[in-house]
mmCIF file with all atom_site columns, all heavy atoms in Angstrom:
data_model
loop_
_atom_site.group_PDB
_atom_site.id
_atom_site.type_symbol
_atom_site.label_atom_id
_atom_site.label_alt_id
_atom_site.label_comp_id
_atom_site.label_asym_id
_atom_site.label_entity_id
_atom_site.label_seq_id
_atom_site.pdbx_PDB_ins_code
_atom_site.Cartn_x
_atom_site.Cartn_y
_atom_site.Cartn_z
_atom_site.occupancy
_atom_site.B_iso_or_equiv
_atom_site.pdbx_formal_charge
_atom_site.auth_seq_id
_atom_site.auth_comp_id
_atom_site.auth_asym_id
_atom_site.auth_atom_id
_atom_site.pdbx_PDB_model_num
ATOM 1  N N   . MET E 1 325 ? 0.185   -11.313 12.433 1.00 0.00 ? 325 MET E N   1
ATOM 2  C CA  . MET E 1 325 ? 0.888   -10.057 12.708 1.00 0.00 ? 325 MET E CA  1
ATOM 3  C C   . MET E 1 325 ? 0.553   -9.442  14.063 1.00 0.00 ? 325 MET E C   1
ATOM 4  O O   . MET E 1 325 ? 0.998   -8.435  14.452 1.00 0.00 ? 325 MET E O   1
ATOM 5  C CB  . MET E 1 325 ? 0.504   -9.055  11.625 1.00 0.00 ? 325 MET E CB  1
ATOM 6  C CG  . MET E 1 325 ? 0.849   -9.419  10.242 1.00 0.00 ? 325 MET E CG  1
ATOM 7  S SD  . MET E 1 325 ? 2.629   -9.604  9.936  1.00 0.00 ? 325 MET E SD  1
ATOM 8  C CE  . MET E 1 325 ? 3.130   -7.823  9.795  1.00 0.00 ? 325 MET E CE  1
ATOM 9  N N   . ASP E 1 326 ? -0.346  -10.138 14.799 1.00 0.00 ? 326 ASP E N   1
ATOM 10 C CA  . ASP E 1 326 ? -0.824  -9.626  16.021 1.00 0.00 ? 326 ASP E CA  1
ATOM 11 C C   . ASP E 1 326 ? -1.816  -8.464  15.860 1.00 0.00 ? 326 ASP E C   1
ATOM 12 O O   . ASP E 1 326 ? -1.930  -7.632  16.754 1.00 0.00 ? 326 ASP E O   1
ATOM 13 C CB  . ASP E 1 326 ? 0.318   -9.278  16.956 1.00 0.00 ? 326 ASP E CB  1
ATOM 14 C CG  . ASP E 1 326 ? 0.107   -9.706  18.367 1.00 0.00 ? 326 ASP E CG  1
ATOM 15 O OD1 . ASP E 1 326 ? -0.807  -10.510 18.595 1.00 0.00 ? 326 ASP E OD1 1
ATOM 16 O OD2 . ASP E 1 326 ? 0.858   -9.206  19.283 1.00 0.00 ? 326 ASP E OD2 1
ATOM 17 N N   . TRP E 1 327 ? -2.352  -8.353  14.705 1.00 0.00 ? 327 TRP E N   1
ATOM 18 C CA  . TRP E 1 327 ? -3.292  -7.255  14.405 1.00 0.00 ? 327 TRP E CA  1
ATOM 19 C C   . TRP E 1 327 ? -4.712  -7.731  14.668 1.00 0.00 ? 327 TRP E C   1
ATOM 20 O O   . TRP E 1 327 ? -5.122  -8.828  14.120 1.00 0.00 ? 327 TRP E O   1
ATOM 21 C CB  . TRP E 1 327 ? -3.176  -6.820  12.929 1.00 0.00 ? 327 TRP E CB  1
ATOM 22 C CG  . TRP E 1 327 ? -1.799  -6.240  12.576 1.00 0.00 ? 327 TRP E CG  1
ATOM 23 C CD1 . TRP E 1 327 ? -0.854  -5.813  13.437 1.00 0.00 ? 327 TRP E CD1 1
ATOM 24 C CD2 . TRP E 1 327 ? -1.338  -6.089  11.287 1.00 0.00 ? 327 TRP E CD2 1
ATOM 25 N NE1 . TRP E 1 327 ? 0.233   -5.360  12.715 1.00 0.00 ? 327 TRP E NE1 1
ATOM 26 C CE2 . TRP E 1 327 ? -0.064  -5.491  11.376 1.00 0.00 ? 327 TRP E CE2 1
ATOM 27 C CE3 . TRP E 1 327 ? -1.808  -6.325  9.996  1.00 0.00 ? 327 TRP E CE3 1
ATOM 28 C CZ2 . TRP E 1 327 ? 0.786   -5.154  10.301 1.00 0.00 ? 327 TRP E CZ2 1
ATOM 29 C CZ3 . TRP E 1 327 ? -1.033  -5.941  8.835  1.00 0.00 ? 327 TRP E CZ3 1
ATOM 30 C CH2 . TRP E 1 327 ? 0.252   -5.410  9.018  1.00 0.00 ? 327 TRP E CH2 1
ATOM 31 N N   . GLU E 1 328 ? -5.492  -6.974  15.403 1.00 0.00 ? 328 GLU E N   1
ATOM 32 C CA  . GLU E 1 328 ? -6.838  -7.386  15.779 1.00 0.00 ? 328 GLU E CA  1
ATOM 33 C C   . GLU E 1 328 ? -7.778  -7.452  14.552 1.00 0.00 ? 328 GLU E C   1
ATOM 34 O O   . GLU E 1 328 ? -7.699  -6.557  13.706 1.00 0.00 ? 328 GLU E O   1
ATOM 35 C CB  . GLU E 1 328 ? -7.441  -6.412  16.808 1.00 0.00 ? 328 GLU E CB  1
ATOM 36 C CG  . GLU E 1 328 ? -6.656  -6.499  18.075 1.00 0.00 ? 328 GLU E CG  1
ATOM 37 C CD  . GLU E 1 328 ? -7.340  -5.798  19.191 1.00 0.00 ? 328 GLU E CD  1
ATOM 38 O OE1 . GLU E 1 328 ? -8.566  -5.381  19.084 1.00 0.00 ? 328 GLU E OE1 1
ATOM 39 O OE2 . GLU E 1 328 ? -6.705  -5.531  20.262 1.00 0.00 ? 328 GLU E OE2 1
ATOM 40 N N   . ILE E 1 329 ? -8.569  -8.412  14.504 1.00 0.00 ? 329 ILE E N   1
ATOM 41 C CA  . ILE E 1 329 ? -9.486  -8.612  13.357 1.00 0.00 ? 329 ILE E CA  1
ATOM 42 C C   . ILE E 1 329 ? -10.778 -7.800  13.679 1.00 0.00 ? 329 ILE E C   1
ATOM 43 O O   . ILE E 1 329 ? -11.525 -8.107  14.674 1.00 0.00 ? 329 ILE E O   1
ATOM 44 C CB  . ILE E 1 329 ? -9.810  -10.114 13.184 1.00 0.00 ? 329 ILE E CB  1
ATOM 45 C CG1 . ILE E 1 329 ? -8.464  -10.844 12.855 1.00 0.00 ? 329 ILE E CG1 1
ATOM 46 C CG2 . ILE E 1 329 ? -10.750 -10.288 11.970 1.00 0.00 ? 329 ILE E CG2 1
ATOM 47 C CD1 . ILE E 1 329 ? -8.631  -12.379 12.900 1.00 0.00 ? 329 ILE E CD1 1
ATOM 48 N N   . HIS E 1 330 ? -11.046 -6.800  12.890 1.00 0.00 ? 330 HIS E N   1
ATOM 49 C CA  . HIS E 1 330 ? -12.094 -5.843  13.262 1.00 0.00 ? 330 HIS E CA  1
ATOM 50 C C   . HIS E 1 330 ? -12.753 -5.325  12.028 1.00 0.00 ? 330 HIS E C   1
ATOM 51 O O   . HIS E 1 330 ? -12.574 -4.126  11.640 1.00 0.00 ? 330 HIS E O   1
ATOM 52 C CB  . HIS E 1 330 ? -11.552 -4.725  14.132 1.00 0.00 ? 330 HIS E CB  1
ATOM 53 C CG  . HIS E 1 330 ? -12.461 -4.036  14.985 1.00 0.00 ? 330 HIS E CG  1
ATOM 54 N ND1 . HIS E 1 330 ? -13.674 -3.472  14.457 1.00 0.00 ? 330 HIS E ND1 1
ATOM 55 C CD2 . HIS E 1 330 ? -12.512 -3.798  16.329 1.00 0.00 ? 330 HIS E CD2 1
ATOM 56 C CE1 . HIS E 1 330 ? -14.341 -2.943  15.477 1.00 0.00 ? 330 HIS E CE1 1
ATOM 57 N NE2 . HIS E 1 330 ? -13.660 -3.181  16.627 1.00 0.00 ? 330 HIS E NE2 1
ATOM 58 N N   . PRO E 1 331 ? -13.626 -6.138  11.309 1.00 0.00 ? 331 PRO E N   1
ATOM 59 C CA  . PRO E 1 331 ? -14.262 -5.675  10.107 1.00 0.00 ? 331 PRO E CA  1
ATOM 60 C C   . PRO E 1 331 ? -15.147 -4.448  10.331 1.00 0.00 ? 331 PRO E C   1
ATOM 61 O O   . PRO E 1 331 ? -15.238 -3.634  9.406  1.00 0.00 ? 331 PRO E O   1
ATOM 62 C CB  . PRO E 1 331 ? -15.059 -6.839  9.635  1.00 0.00 ? 331 PRO E CB  1
ATOM 63 C CG  . PRO E 1 331 ? -14.936 -7.911  10.619 1.00 0.00 ? 331 PRO E CG  1
ATOM 64 C CD  . PRO E 1 331 ? -13.939 -7.525  11.631 1.00 0.00 ? 331 PRO E CD  1
ATOM 65 N N   . GLN E 1 332 ? -15.774 -4.262  11.489 1.00 0.00 ? 332 GLN E N   1
ATOM 66 C CA  . GLN E 1 332 ? -16.600 -3.130  11.749 1.00 0.00 ? 332 GLN E CA  1
ATOM 67 C C   . GLN E 1 332 ? -15.785 -1.858  11.564 1.00 0.00 ? 332 GLN E C   1
ATOM 68 O O   . GLN E 1 332 ? -16.260 -0.806  11.130 1.00 0.00 ? 332 GLN E O   1
ATOM 69 C CB  . GLN E 1 332 ? -17.152 -3.243  13.154 1.00 0.00 ? 332 GLN E CB  1
ATOM 70 C CG  . GLN E 1 332 ? -18.081 -2.034  13.557 1.00 0.00 ? 332 GLN E CG  1
ATOM 71 C CD  . GLN E 1 332 ? -19.379 -1.963  12.745 1.00 0.00 ? 332 GLN E CD  1
ATOM 72 O OE1 . GLN E 1 332 ? -19.960 -3.034  12.495 1.00 0.00 ? 332 GLN E OE1 1
ATOM 73 N NE2 . GLN E 1 332 ? -19.724 -0.756  12.345 1.00 0.00 ? 332 GLN E NE2 1
ATOM 74 N N   . GLY E 1 333 ? -14.482 -1.923  11.957 1.00 0.00 ? 333 GLY E N   1
ATOM 75 C CA  . GLY E 1 333 ? -13.588 -0.796  11.794 1.00 0.00 ? 333 GLY E CA  1
ATOM 76 C C   . GLY E 1 333 ? -13.505 -0.294  10.322 1.00 0.00 ? 333 GLY E C   1
ATOM 77 O O   . GLY E 1 333 ? -13.387 0.884   10.039 1.00 0.00 ? 333 GLY E O   1
#
Side-chain angles (χ1 to χ4, degrees):
M325 299 295 282
D326 223 13
W327 296 345
E328 294 191 14
I329 302 171
H330 203 305
Q332 178 66 41

